[in-house]
Amino acid sequence: MKKITLTAWAVFVSTFTFAQEAPFSQRLTSSKGNTVMTADQLKAKKNFKVSSLRDKVRVHGVAPRKDFTPTVDSLITTAPAGEVHNNVIRSGTGYYSLYGYVLSSTAYAMTGNYVKTDDAIYLKDPFTNLTTDSYLKLDAEGDGKYVAHLPQPIYDEEYQGTTYHYYASKLKINDEHNSYAADTLSDGSIDQDVHFELVGDTLKSTDLSFENIIGLTDDTYAWYGFGDYDIAMYDNPYTTTSLPSGVAFERWVLNRSQLVNVAVDGNEIYINDPTANNNLYWFKGTIEGDKVTFKGPQYLGVNEDYATHVFFFPGTSFWDDQGKRYALSDELVMNYDPAAKKLTAQDTADAMIINAALDRVYYLSVYDNPELAFFVEKAGTPADPYFTQVSEYNTDYGYGYIVFFIPTVDVDGNFIEPSKIYYNIYFDSETPETLSTDDYTSLGQDMTDIPFYFSDGWDIFLQGSTHQLYYYVAEYDQVGVSTTYTGGGESHRSNIVWAENPANSIKGVTTDNGAVESVKYFDLSGRRIEAPVKGLYLKKVTFADGTTKTVKGMAK
């Protein structure tokens, strides 16, 4: 029996994700408890075309009603010709259903689209957490007022030879505050009108809140867990920063953890958005002697993976009773060495923030104590990976999983390019395990050398430098992992790092390894630190026999 992949991964990442304000690390609550979902999971959720809503649990607040009358005859998949508003900035709160959970997320700068005609507005993908590729019709009432007469057909699916239809319906929170249902008025009728207003270039709902939402239902008003409220959107007034024509960029290393493109043009320095997969989004700073000043905010563009507008902000970090947190700043001043091609933060509390909001910390990624340096590829032996979690083999489901961290530095601390790293998995032998398509059904072919960035979305995942892999070996004593780096014209392999089968060891990681050879400390991004500072850290112990053990700690 296969696992519930996204839910299992969400539970897994909660063991090491602790960012407070990240837009894609929301606190999720359900009857199954609390967990944290990371950027990659919410990206998967945003891009998730439901394989079958019929497989999902319908959430009934009250008995479904039969007096269901759609106000639009059929699904609207193409809007009429009109005034097109694409990639508007959208905010609001939305629910979504994921394998038995009903979760919520708030967005402050998502992308949105609508078309305005003389007598209506056609709002595309009314649910922020479900791509329907259809439109919700809002009829004009005059003076900038609009009304969506619901229910309206919004999504169709084919399932086991049958076409099922889903609708956008107005729903009200039930008395127990644990579900939504059709709002029955005192005369027995159902209120199905949702009102909007268009003021200038801002379109927003006027009667949707936690109490009342636009929800996804079937033709009995049974709620399927998707829904939105506090919908607002306005035309994007911001423009991106472009790299001047003819200016070449170079590869630099950001925080010894990833490559970014950097260009210098006179007294300006340009840095490519480190979260983007293109060379289109840049932010820039002004060079004054041995200092560079980056002003904020700077609009970067649309991150298509997360369907959100993103901005560069200078920031500062601080600690409070909730842990490490961040504040937005007006500027970031960094030390600049043009001869060495290096930028360094002036204060360890400085940060570069790639943010998904303009008025609050709601980050896609944060780079603490930023350092950028020109990248020179060198041959080197990769630093040893280390396990952070090894689960027992589950005989009921037929799998277990391992979680391990792959440093993107060599044994001397030099950055190595992740795209030139692959890893191997071992069970009780120094012969690498071959992942067979018989077990790993999402692979196109058997795989032994697994690239750093590889993920099949089912058995193999990564979040930053942390990797999760499901295994199907029922009996073993030790599981191992090693990495191989090919750079500077040479290939070098790390040590094989072993962990005990937790069924045979209470702690799950080998500890009886002889005398301690060395102890090193790292922050959670894998950077070496001299000693633990306030917050979470990793301690790597190397024993006389060459084996290692890594444990997580908290410094007060």
Side-chain angles (χ1 to χ4, degrees), residues 256 386 518-524 526-533 537-541 551 553:
R256 294 196 301 166
Y386 50 83
S518 66
V519 177
K520 297 178 181 178
Y521 298 95
F522 301 84
D523 63 20
L524 291 192
R527 288 178 297 175
R528 176 81 181 274
I529 55 178
E530 292 302 315
V533 295
Y537 66 90
L538 297 168
K539 181 173 75 172
K540 181 180 179 182
V541 181
V551 295

Side-chain angles (χ1 to χ4, degrees), residues 73-391:
D73 292 335
S74 60
L75 203 66
I76 303 174
T77 56
T78 302
E83 184 180 289
V84 177
H85 296 255
N86 283 337
N87 281 332
V88 301
I89 297 178
R90 175 172 175 168
S91 61
T93 299
Y95 294 106
Y96 57 101
S97 177
L98 195 63
Y99 298 110
Y101 291 79
V102 174
L103 313 174
S104 69
S105 62
T106 300
Y108 298 97
M110 284 190 68
T111 59
N113 302 282
Y114 69 89
V115 176
K116 180 178 179 292
T117 67
D118 291 339
D119 58 0
I121 285 177
Y122 293 82
L123 173 61
K124 189 175 183 181
D125 293 331
F127 303 112
T128 55
N129 295 313
L130 178 65
T131 301
T132 62
D133 290 327
S134 63
Y135 292 83
L136 188 74
K137 183 182 180 185
L138 319 179
D139 291 308
E141 293 186 305
D143 296 326
K145 308 295 184 183
Y146 292 82
V147 59
H149 299 295
L150 305 180
Q152 292 184 27
I154 207 68
Y155 185 78
D156 289 346
E157 72 164 342
E158 297 287 335
Y159 181 65
Q160 296 183 353
T162 302
T163 300
Y164 292 91
H165 306 286
Y166 301 91
Y167 303 84
S169 303
K170 184 179 180 181
L171 301 177
K172 182 179 181 180
I173 193 74
N174 64 2
D175 292 339
E176 292 76 22
H177 278 206
N178 61 10
S179 186
Y180 288 86
D183 183 13
T184 304
L185 303 179
S186 57
D187 63 359
S189 63
I190 296 179
D191 177 15
Q192 281 294 300
D193 282 350
V194 174
H195 295 88
F196 291 78
E197 66 178 9
L198 180 63
V199 179
D201 68 347
T202 299
L203 174 68
K204 65 179 180 179
S205 61
T206 58
D207 55 359
L208 295 179
S209 65
F210 173 75
E211 299 289 329
N212 296 284
I213 68 170
I214 295 177
L216 184 76
T217 74
D218 61 16
D219 58 3
T220 68
Y221 291 109
W223 184 43
Y224 276 75
F226 292 87
D228 277 71
Y229 62 91
D230 289 343
I231 300 170
M233 56 189 70
Y234 60 91
D235 290 344
N236 178 18
Y238 309 106
T239 57
T240 59
T241 296
S242 298
L243 191 64
S245 177
V247 176
F249 57 80
E250 302 170 322
R251 296 199 303 171
W252 289 33
V253 182
L254 173 59
N255 282 4
R256 294 196 301 166
S257 62
Q258 72 178 96
L259 291 172
V260 296
N261 296 323
V262 176
V264 176
D265 182 34
N267 68 338
E268 292 182 324
I269 189 166
Y270 294 79
I271 299 176
N272 196 192
D273 174 7
T275 68
N277 297 318
N278 59 55
N279 293 323
L280 302 176
Y281 302 160
W282 300 81
F283 59 96
K284 67 179 180 179
T286 301
I287 302 171
E288 297 179 282
D290 62 351
K291 299 289 188 291
V292 175
T293 301
F294 295 94
K295 299 285 187 180
Q298 296 184 41
Y299 179 66
L300 296 174
V302 174
N303 187 303
E304 298 290 350
D305 286 340
Y306 301 100
T308 185
H309 299 270
V310 288
F311 305 83
F312 161 78
F313 272 93
T316 56
S317 63
F318 62 95
W319 292 86
D320 61 15
D321 56 1
Q322 297 185 47
K324 191 173 188 177
R325 296 167 63 81
Y326 297 90
L328 303 178
S329 305
D330 293 328
E331 66 178 26
L332 169 66
V333 180
M334 300 185 71
N335 300 316
Y336 178 47
D337 184 340
K341 296 185 178 181
K342 191 171 186 178
L343 283 167
T344 54
Q346 291 189 314
D347 191 297
T348 57
D350 289 342
M352 289 181 171
I353 301 177
I354 308 302
N355 211 45
L358 272 167
D359 60 350
R360 69 196 67 211
V361 176
Y362 203 56
Y363 61 82
L364 188 66
S365 191
V366 173
Y367 302 92
D368 286 299
N369 190 18
E371 173 189 287
L372 294 104
F374 181 71
F375 174 61
V376 178
E377 182 177 281
K378 299 178 180 179
T381 301
D384 290 346
Y386 50 83
F387 286 98
T388 58
Q389 192 174 356
V390 178
S391 83

Side-chain angles (χ1 to χ4, degrees), residues 369-443:
N369 190 18
E371 173 189 287
L372 294 104
F374 181 71
F375 174 61
V376 178
E377 182 177 281
K378 299 178 180 179
T381 301
D384 290 346
Y386 50 83
F387 286 98
T388 58
Q389 192 174 356
V390 178
S391 83
E392 290 189 37
Y393 180 85
N394 188 311
T395 56
D396 291 332
Y397 296 109
Y399 64 81
Y401 63 86
I402 55 176
V403 182
F404 50 94
F405 187 93
I406 297 180
T408 53
V409 294
D410 64 18
V411 291
D412 296 320
N414 300 309
F415 173 80
I416 56 178
E417 197 169 346
S419 63
K420 298 187 177 183
I421 299 173
Y422 70 79
Y423 63 90
N424 297 112
I425 303 298
Y426 308 82
F427 287 95
D428 294 336
S429 167
E430 293 191 7
T431 300
E433 183 81 2
T434 296
L435 309 185
S436 168
T437 54
D438 292 338
D439 293 323
Y440 295 83
T441 56
S442 294
L443 297 182

